[in-house]
Amino acid sequence: MKRLPDTELEVMKALWAAGTDTPRALLEDRLAHFGWAANTINTYLSRLVEKGFVTVHREGKSNLYTPLVGQEEYQAFDSRAVLDRLYGSPRNFVAALAREGLQRGELEELQTLLDQLNGGANR
């Protein structure tokens, strides 16, 4: 899997929200606030199909689009890619956050999450 450009990610977000067998007209409606031309959206959809993120099939005169990659799956991949590229490790990421001054509540939330991920182990 590769990271998506922001524009293609926006198309994926619209697809994830819409679900399977989404007509292009619905996608255009959901993406209207970007002001993209129909041909631009079509280009992004074609790229997503080529990259294996989306499948398309024809029904009558309409193309219907379905995401092949789930939102959680992509977010997990993308998060790890950003973490690796910018910080190298989760420890370095948390250290950078700490240098910027995490609030006590944020630290407690992180500790609770770490405890949960560690099988509920106590501090």
Side-chain angles (χ1 to χ4, degrees), residues 24 28 36-46:
R24 197 174 102 175
E28 288 177 10
W36 296 332
N39 285 341
T40 301
I41 294 171
N42 193 50
T43 297
Y44 295 149
L45 287 167
S46 295

Side-chain angles (χ1 to χ4, degrees), residues 5-22:
D6 290 345
T7 51
E8 292 172 24
L9 182 56
E10 291 300 330
V11 174
M12 285 302 297
K13 287 179 185 177
L15 268 171
W16 287 323
T20 59
D21 293 335
T22 303

Side-chain angles (χ1 to χ4, degrees), residues 15-78:
L15 268 171
W16 287 323
T20 59
D21 293 335
T22 303
R24 197 174 102 175
L26 177 61
L27 286 173
E28 288 177 10
D29 185 54
R30 288 179 178 255
L31 297 166
H33 63 280
F34 289 106
W36 296 332
N39 285 341
T40 301
I41 294 171
N42 193 50
T43 297
Y44 295 149
L45 287 167
S46 295
R47 288 179 187 165
L48 288 166
V49 169
E50 288 172 17
K51 292 176 181 180
F53 280 82
V54 173
T55 187
V56 60
H57 73 273
R58 194 131 181 103
E59 190 172 288
K61 293 183 179 184
S62 297
N63 283 338
L64 301 178
Y65 297 89
T66 299
L68 293 175
V69 175
Q71 186 171 10
E72 288 182 11
E73 177 186 1
Y74 182 76
Q75 286 173 330
F77 161 79
D78 193 40

